[in-house]
Amino acid sequence: MDLVELLGYYNLTRQESALYLLLCSEGKLTGYEAAKASGISRSNTYTALAGLVEKGAALVEEGTATHYLPVPVGEFCSNRIRRMQEYRELLVRAAPKRREAGEGYITVKGETNIVDKMKNMIDAAKERIYLAVSEQTLSLLLPQLCSALCRGLKVVVITDPPFELEGALVYHTKTGRHQIRLIADSKSVLTGDIAAGSESTCLYSQKRNLVELFKEALKNEITLITVTKGS
């Protein structure tokens, strides 16, 4: 993922991103200088620079010639994140509430969406987390797992050795590299794998019978690990 693509997540177009990176490199430029250095047409350059100013990524310095200065990357990103958090709170309060939680079988597609679903399940948990994943996948979830432990949740992890997490019950076994099994509060389950990247698919459900089935399977696996280790 290149810098232009990353800046796209902060609502900058590709031309705005390219000019923003140019400003960061050069310090400040006139519209003419920015167009010449970037190879973007002058009209598109001025439109993109105006967009950067409007979106809080650039400042204007008036003088004998108008110069554009970049807002520091960390400051720009923090401002955007703060604003999005404010928008999030507004949406959470104002959005229509679903009458009841769905209890069907829901497909979650794409590695990024699956990892996000895992993080959200852990963040929303109130009592306990059961998790069986590879150490590689665990590395993506460590902030959420540490937060869960700080909130006093019971966290049970089945993963590859030698992974350890203070406060969690960790059982070592050889796991499928991309396989995922997650149970939150004995109320919801996520299972599948992320081997196919953007084409990966997992199943999410709050069906009690499926949750209990996976919970029992994980308990049996823990028992087998414990017996094997002791023998």
Side-chain angles (χ1 to χ4, degrees):
M1 187 175 293
D2 63 21
L3 295 179
V4 169
E5 187 175 352
L6 285 173
L7 287 168
Y9 286 99
Y10 289 86
N11 199 33
L12 298 187
T13 67
R14 294 194 69 82
Q15 287 188 343
E16 289 170 349
S17 297
L19 288 169
Y20 178 65
L21 293 172
L22 179 62
L23 290 177
C24 288
S25 174
E26 298 298 324
K28 67 177 181 179
L29 293 169
T30 65
Y32 171 79
E33 291 170 335
K36 185 177 180 180
S38 66
I40 301 172
S41 70
R42 194 178 300 184
S43 61
N44 286 342
T45 294
Y46 279 103
T47 298
L49 289 171
L52 289 176
V53 173
E54 181 181 351
K55 295 173 182 178
L59 302 172
V60 176
E61 180 184 75
E62 301 289 355
T64 54
T66 299
H67 286 84
Y68 295 87
L69 295 78
V71 172
V73 175
E75 182 179 337
F76 166 65
C77 292
S78 294
N79 290 340
R80 298 296 298 182
I81 291 170
R82 187 185 308 112
R83 193 164 296 115
M84 291 305 296
Q85 288 174 332
E86 292 170 357
Y87 294 158
R88 175 190 180 277
E89 295 305 317
L90 289 173
L91 284 169
V92 168
R93 290 197 299 268
K97 300 297 187 293
R98 189 168 57 182
R99 291 184 180 179
E100 57 183 28
E103 293 188 354
Y105 301 100
I106 299 168
T107 299
V108 183
K109 292 187 176 181
E111 180 178 356
T112 300
N113 294 330
I114 291 168
V115 173
D116 282 342
K117 185 64 176 176
M118 297 177 75
K119 292 178 179 179
N120 291 332
M121 288 174 68
I122 296 170
D123 283 342
K126 305 295 184 186
E127 298 176 0
R128 63 187 71 87
I129 294 290
Y130 289 89
L131 179 63
V133 294
S134 69
E135 185 172 3
Q136 179 180 342
T137 304
L138 268 176
S139 66
L140 304 175
L141 306 173
L142 279 179
Q144 288 72 31
L145 291 173
C146 290
S147 175
L149 289 166
C150 288
R151 301 197 309 271
L153 273 66
K154 177 181 180 181
V155 176
V156 180
V157 179
I158 301 175
T159 191
D160 311 294
F163 176 86
E164 295 292 346
L165 180 60
E166 185 176 355
L169 296 173
V170 181
Y171 298 89
H172 293 136
T173 188
K174 186 173 178 58
T175 63
R177 181 179 177 188
H178 302 288
Q179 189 178 24
I180 290 170
R181 288 171 293 165
L182 170 61
I183 301 172
D185 286 343
S186 300
K187 294 180 180 179
S188 60
V189 62
L190 180 73
T191 183
D193 67 66
I194 54 175
S198 61
E199 299 299 319
S200 300
T201 301
C202 278
L203 178 70
Y204 171 81
S205 182
Q206 293 181 333
K207 285 279 190 181
R208 180 182 292 272
N209 58 345
L210 185 65
V211 173
E212 290 300 322
L213 178 67
F214 272 86
K215 188 175 178 181
E216 191 63 27
L218 289 179
K219 285 183 176 179
N220 290 339
E221 186 172 351
I222 289 170
T223 299
L224 181 60
I225 293 170
T226 303
V227 169
T228 303
K229 184 178 179 180
S231 60

